[in-house]
């Protein structure tokens, strides 16, 4: 199969990346970074998470961030909601798209969500019905699809069943997350093709972490299967507090560089994303794990 004619990158740095940082990021800076990402050509941005601030203090300003987003035609802003309360908040904030997430591993589900996998599935079904009643478009994300404690330890038939069940409920898209960075190109091909067989026209998204350095190799494998949507984070920010050793998402800039080389358009300006990443690095006082943001020329000279 030829590579897709266009790939849509969903920028998840403002959620998956920011929530991992201990240093509080001011709302002004969050909004400025999101504006920079919009200017860089990103058309789908996960801007926050509607979780209790006790669990994720960095996301305590979720409503304010959404209220201050630049309104632009054709841009989709999404927020992560982990329960009905979060969904209600996302709706009240004015979001039209919401990302739901369920665990596929019992240990992960207990530690991360304090419920069983079956309870998480039932809750997600209820959230999807509620989202539809509100006229919102829900994306369903499955966590640790490529392994939790060991590569491949999430049974594929279980993943396929879940995908079939949620596609039938009419979700906007289904995201397979390699939360632990355990996927490899062989597993990508096996699991993506198995899921594609049961989800019909529902778009498939891959959410890849680069924990073992195979993130971009996995992108190539997924492209060959026809996957045309990927989550990425600026500078490769991110991690998971419940997954020891988890590192960030595949970097937006590095993924754009790869797709440019393959001749697959994304509409994203690498240098402009890199400028956002360097601004964050300056604020956080540390290097982010991506590669390309350090190599491209600054898009504009910093104010002196
Ligand atoms: Zn993630």
């Amino acid at each position: 199969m030829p590579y897709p004619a266009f790939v849509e990158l969903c920028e998840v740095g403002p959620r998956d990346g920011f929530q991992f940082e201990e240093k509080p990021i001011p709302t002004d800076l969050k909004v400025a970074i999101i504006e920079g990402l919009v200017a860089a050509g990103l058309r789908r941005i996960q801007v926050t998470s509607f979780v209790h601030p006790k669990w994720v203090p960095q996301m305590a300003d979720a409503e304010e961030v959404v209220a201050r987003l630049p309104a632009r035609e054709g841009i989709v802003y999404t927020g992560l909601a982990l329960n009905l309360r979060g969904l209600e908040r996302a709706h009240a904030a004015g979001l039209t798209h919401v990302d739901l997430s369920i665990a596929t591993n019992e240990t992960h589900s207990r530690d991360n969500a304090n419920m069983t996998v079956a309870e998480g599935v039932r809750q997600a079904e209820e959230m999807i019905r509620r989202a539809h009643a509100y006229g919102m478009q829900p994306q369903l994300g499955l966590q640790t699809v490529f392994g939790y404690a060991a590569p491949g330890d999430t049974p594929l038939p279980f993943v396929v069943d879940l995908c079939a069940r949620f596609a039938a409920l009419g979700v906007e898209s289904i995201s397979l997350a390699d939360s632990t960075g355990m996927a490899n190109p062989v597993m990508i091909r096996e699991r993506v093709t198995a899921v594609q067989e049961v989800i019909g026209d529902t778009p498939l998204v891959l959410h890849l972490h680069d924990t073992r350095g195979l993130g971009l190799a996995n992108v190539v494998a997924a492209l060959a299967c026809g996957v045309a949507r990927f989550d990425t984070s600026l500078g490769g920010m991110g991690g998971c507090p419940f997954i020891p050793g988890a590192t960030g998402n595949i970097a937006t800039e590095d993924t754009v560089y790869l797709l440019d080389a393959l001749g697959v358009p994304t509409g994203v300006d690498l240098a402009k994303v890199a400028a956002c990443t360097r601004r964050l690095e300056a604020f956080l006082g540390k290097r982010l794990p991506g590669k390309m943001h350090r190599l491209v020329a600054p898009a504009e000279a910093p104010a002196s």
Side-chain angles (χ1 to χ4, degrees):
M1 180 184 282
Y3 292 151
F6 183 87
V7 159
E8 180 183 67
L9 301 182
C10 175
E11 173 60 54
V12 297
R15 197 280 304 174
D16 214 354
F18 290 6
Q19 74 172 13
F20 195 61
E21 298 299 329
E22 278 177 26
K23 182 176 179 181
I25 302 173
T27 307
D28 282 349
L29 180 57
K30 291 180 182 177
V31 172
I33 294 293
I34 293 167
E35 286 171 347
L37 294 166
V38 168
L42 286 146
R43 288 294 169 266
R44 190 179 179 105
I45 304 177
Q46 191 184 53
V47 294
T48 191
S49 174
F50 294 91
V51 287
H52 197 290
K54 185 173 127 192
W55 302 118
V56 189
Q58 187 71 267
M59 297 287 120
D61 60 357
E63 277 82 359
E64 194 186 346
V65 168
V66 173
R68 294 176 53 187
L69 292 173
R72 300 281 174 88
E73 194 75 16
I75 295 183
V76 171
Y77 295 117
T78 76
L80 181 68
L82 300 175
N83 50 38
L84 279 169
R85 171 81 187 120
L87 176 70
E88 296 291 345
R89 287 176 59 197
H91 172 59
L95 288 181
T96 57
H97 290 67
V98 63
D99 296 331
L100 318 182
S101 175
I102 55 177
T104 60
N105 174 284
E106 293 295 348
T107 308
H108 185 224
S109 189
R110 193 181 61 229
D111 294 349
N112 197 31
N114 197 27
M115 62 176 78
T116 66
V117 170
E119 285 166 347
V121 170
R122 279 195 297 276
Q123 176 182 267
E125 289 172 338
E126 175 65 25
M127 289 170 74
I128 287 162
R129 279 190 288 273
R130 187 80 60 91
H132 284 154
Y134 286 147
M136 299 174 82
Q137 298 200 48
Q139 177 187 90
L140 190 275
L142 298 180
Q143 295 292 316
T144 69
V145 163
F146 301 91
Y148 179 65
D153 67 2
T154 306
L156 180 54
F158 178 60
V159 170
V160 170
D161 280 354
L162 283 177
C163 289
R165 189 162 157 179
F166 281 97
L169 280 179
V171 293
E172 181 272 332
S173 51
I174 291 178
S175 163
L176 304 181
D178 183 22
S179 324
T180 53
M182 287 183 180
N184 60 53
V186 175
M187 286 172 67
I188 292 282
R189 191 164 55 242
E190 177 199 29
R191 298 195 164 216
V192 164
T193 52
V195 166
Q196 283 170 326
E197 280 175 23
V198 300
I199 63 172
D201 293 337
T202 308
L204 190 61
V205 183
L206 282 190
H207 178 101
L208 303 169
H209 283 255
D210 198 34
T211 312
R212 288 165 180 75
L214 293 187
L216 292 184
N218 291 335
V219 170
V220 175
L223 289 170
C225 299
V227 175
R229 283 172 62 174
F230 295 88
D231 288 353
T232 62
S233 71
L234 71 165
M237 300 184 82
C240 177
F242 301 99
I243 297 175
T247 60
N249 294 94
I250 50 173
T252 304
E253 297 94 326
D254 302 0
T255 309
V256 170
Y257 182 74
L258 168 69
L259 291 165
D260 281 351
L262 296 175
V264 180
T266 60
V268 177
D269 184 323
L270 197 167
K272 287 184 177 173
V273 180
C276 295
T277 299
R278 284 193 299 267
R279 186 170 174 184
L280 271 173
E281 283 186 323
F283 172 78
L284 295 169
K286 67 176 192 185
R287 283 160 68 107
L288 291 168
K291 311 269 192 306
M292 285 309 301
H293 69 276
R294 281 195 289 275
L295 296 174
V296 295
E300 54 209 280
S304 55

